[in-house]
Amino acid sequence: MDVAPRTRFAPSPTGFLHVGGVRTALYNWLVARQSQGEFILRIEDTDAARNREEWVEGIFDSMRWIGLDWDELYRQSERRELYLRAAVKLEEGGKAYWCDCAREDIDARAAARKGPPGYDGFCRERSLGNGDGRALRFRTSDEGATIVPDVIRGAPSFDNVTLDDPVIVRSSGDPMFVLANVVDDLDMKITHVIRGEEHLPTTPKYLLLWDALGGGEHPTFAHVPVLVNEKRQKLSKRRDPVALEQYRDEGYLPEVMLNYLGLLGWSSPDGEEKFTIDEMLANFRLEDVGNSPAFFDVTKLRAFNGDAIRALSTDDFITRVAPWLQAPFTPWTPEAFDGEVFARLAPLVQERVFRLSEVPEMVDFVFLDDPPVDEASWAKAMKPHAAALLDAVIVSYETCPWESEDLKDRLIEAGEALDLKLKFAQAPVRVAVTGRSVGPPLFESLEVMGRERVLARLRDARGRL
RNA sequence: GGUCCCAUCGUCUAGAGGCCUAGGACACCACCCUCUCAAGGUGGCGACACGGGUUCGAAUCCCGUUGGGACUGCCA
C-alpha cells in the first residue's frame, strides 16, 4: 500500500503568509517531493467576508518567492456545491440536524446548568427543517473515544462525549471550515495531513466527519508544534512580526528563510545547521520533527542571513540586492545612482550587512549630493584637533594620487603631524564625507567618490567648524 | 472551568538506559586582528523544572507535582 503521498498546504487569504504556515507548507512539500508525490495548494476562502483576490495573488507570489511549487491548485470558494452536497448527504443520513440556537442562548444554558461552555445538543431531536436563521450541525457520537494516530504525537485519545456538535453549514448557507476541510481531503485523496498543532483538538471531529462521509482509510496525521514568541505564546498577527512578506522586504534570502524555518523543530542527522532545500529533501523525516513549541528567534535568522549574504559571489550579491537599490528603498534619485560605482563598493558592503535592505543606508552618501549628517557622530568626531586636521588633509588631497592606499598614507601623515593615530585621524574625515561615524572602509569610498566631491565635502565640513 | 499537547544552556537543538564531568549553533562576555563598523580568530559563561519510582546504572522508562501552551466560534 505504498501509494505516493499527496500533501497539501491550505492557507486562507489574510493579506500575508504566516511564517508558521510556511513551515508546515515546507514539511508538506518535502514529504511530497521526497517520494514522487503531489503537493497541493488549496486556498481556504470559504469565508467570503474576508476574501480578496489580491490576497490570493499574494499567496502565489510568496510561495513562488520561497520556492515551494505546487502540483495542483484549488480554491474552496469554487467548490461550494461539493461541500453542500456532502452536507445534504449527512442530513439525509440523520448525521446532521438543523439548529436555530443563538450564541447567547447556548451560553445562557451553559451558565444555568453551571457546566462547561459549549453547545449542548439542544436541537438534536427537534427535527427542525432548513429555514431562516438555521445552521446545520454535525451529530457527534456520545460514546466511545476517538484516537488520533499522529506521527509526532503518538495517539492522543478524546472521549467523544466531550465533543460538541460543530456547525457545518452556516445559516447563510455557506459551508464551514471543518466540512470543507474533510470533503476536500477526501476528494483530493490527501494521504498526509501535516498541519499546526492548534488543529489537534478538532481532529476527532474531522475523523468522525470523515467516517460519516464514508471516507475509508484515514490519512496520516502530523501535528507540528506551533511557533511562539518570546513569551511563549503562539505567534499572532496582532502582536508579532509573522508575515513572510515582511521578511522578504527586509532582505532575508528565501533559501535562508527556508533553512531557518526547517531548523525550528527539525535537525539534520549530521548536526549541520546550514543546509539547502536539496539537503533537506535528502534527510528530512516527518517522524523526526520535534514536539515542543519553538521560539521564532529573529536574531539567529539574522545571523544566518548575514552568513549567507557573505557567502554569495559579488556578482550574485549585486544581482540580488538590485531591488533595494531603487525606489522605494532608496533616498537618492534614480539618475544619481551609478551601477559601476556601486559594484566597486559592493564587496565592502556585502561583508557588513545582515539584510539586503540595510545596503542603501550604507552607501547613500555616495549617491546623495548632500547626505544627512548624524549629529552624534559629528559631535564625537569633530574634536578641537579636527580643524587643523581637515585643513591638512584638504591640502594633501588636492594633489595626491587618487588611490585608496595613497589617500590612507596622506591621512596618516596628516594625523601624525598632530600626534593622532589613524584610528582618531580618520574620524573627522569620515564624518565630513559620509555624515556618519560608521560605514564601509573609508579610503576605498573616497577613491570611488572622486577628488572633487570629496574635497567639496571636506571644505564644507571645515567651514562648519 | 473542560479537553488535549508540551517540558535539556537566554534561544534553536543533539541526546532513543551506561559513549554525558550533557555536544553544537545563535546570543552574550573577554582577548587578538583592525581606518570606523562589521567580518574573522582564540577562549569563556551557560541547561537535563521538581518529587517519587523501575534499574547494577536514567537527561533518556513509569507515576505524580509544578510550569507553559493550544483548543473550547454560524473564523480558518
Side-chain angles (χ1 to χ4, degrees), chain A residues 91 98-100 128-136 169-173:
Chain A
E91 189 201 353
W98 294 97
C99 167
D100 64 358
L128 295 174
N130 188 359
D132 231 25
R134 290 177 186 171
L136 189 67
V169 179
R170 297 176 238 218
S171 56
S172 66

Side-chain angles (χ1 to χ4, degrees), chain A residues 6-197:
Chain A
R6 285 174 60 85
T7 65
R8 42 72 156 184
F9 172 48
S12 53
T14 54
F16 64 93
L17 231 38
H18 190 291
V19 288
V22 175
R23 185 184 57 155
T24 62
L26 168 62
Y27 291 165
N28 275 285
W29 183 91
L30 287 168
V31 168
R33 290 282 173 271
Q34 279 179 327
S35 329
Q36 293 77 47
E38 279 90 33
F39 174 62
I40 294 158
L41 178 60
R42 186 168 79 211
I43 309 298
E44 305 227 325
D45 52 358
T46 53
D47 188 357
R50 36 177 175 151
N51 184 16
R52 292 199 215 157
E53 185 53 29
E54 69 258 36
W55 286 354
V56 177
E57 292 298 328
I59 291 173
F60 300 153
D61 285 345
S62 296
M63 288 292 283
R64 279 191 281 259
W65 176 72
I66 200 79
L68 298 180
D69 57 334
W70 56 92
D71 302 298
E72 294 172 26
L73 171 70
Y74 300 95
R75 292 155 85 123
Q76 290 192 326
S77 55
E78 295 168 351
R79 299 164 59 81
R80 195 166 173 275
E81 293 312 312
L82 193 63
Y83 313 135
L84 264 19
R85 275 204 296 279
V88 167
K89 185 178 159 195
L90 289 169
E91 189 201 353
E92 288 175 351
K95 291 167 179 168
Y97 59 91
W98 294 97
C99 167
D100 64 358
C101 295
R103 187 73 232 173
E104 305 81 70
D105 301 331
I106 295 169
D107 291 342
R109 288 200 298 269
R113 68 171 186 276
K114 295 186 168 32
Y119 187 65
D120 54 3
F122 186 78
C123 298
R124 273 188 169 190
E125 311 305 332
R126 292 175 68 203
S127 305
L128 295 174
N130 188 359
D132 231 25
R134 290 177 186 171
L136 189 67
R137 284 186 188 271
F138 173 59
R139 185 190 303 266
T140 59
S141 170
D142 289 334
E143 285 157 17
T146 300
I147 65 168
V148 181
D150 188 293
V151 176
I152 66 192
R153 278 178 212 281
S157 171
F158 301 76
D159 287 335
N160 290 336
V161 241
T162 65
L163 270 26
D164 291 342
D165 292 348
V167 167
I168 54 176
V169 179
R170 297 176 238 218
S171 56
S172 66
D174 293 325
M176 286 280 289
F177 166 72
V178 258
L179 212 219
N181 210 241
V182 174
V183 169
D184 275 344
D185 285 351
L186 229 27
D187 186 62
M188 296 168 192
K189 298 184 165 50
I190 299 300
T191 60
H192 293 67
V193 174
I194 304 163
R195 40 156 39 167
E197 184 186 18

Side-chain angles (χ1 to χ4, degrees), chain A residues 287-308:
Chain A
E287 48 270 53
D288 289 340
V289 173
N291 50 10
S292 56
F295 171 42
F296 184 89
D297 187 2
V298 73
T299 308
K300 185 159 181 170
L301 206 212
R302 192 183 118 94
F304 273 34
N305 204 55
D307 288 345

Side-chain angles (χ1 to χ4, degrees), chain A residues 1 20 38 43 86 123 218 224 228 237 242 273 306 375 402 462:
Chain A
M1 75 136 260
E38 279 90 33
I43 309 298
C123 298
H218 295 161
V224 313
V228 299
K237 174 185 186 176
V242 297
E273 291 196 319
E375 290 310 322
W402 203 255
R462 176 63 184 89

Side-chain angles (χ1 to χ4, degrees), chain A residues 340-349 352 363 365-366 397 402-408 411 426 429-430 433-434 439-451 454:
Chain A
E340 283 178 32
V341 167
F342 177 75
R344 294 170 68 185
L345 252 18
L348 273 21
V349 171
R352 291 171 168 73
V363 297
F365 67 90
V366 176
Y397 280 7
W402 203 255
E403 302 281 341
S404 63
E405 278 308 310
D406 296 295
L407 295 167
K408 180 180 180 181
L411 182 52
Q426 60 91 34
V429 176
R430 179 183 291 280
V433 176
T434 73
L442 182 59
F443 307 105
E444 284 83 348
S445 302
L446 300 185
E447 180 187 318
V448 162
M449 283 181 67
R451 194 190 308 267
V454 169

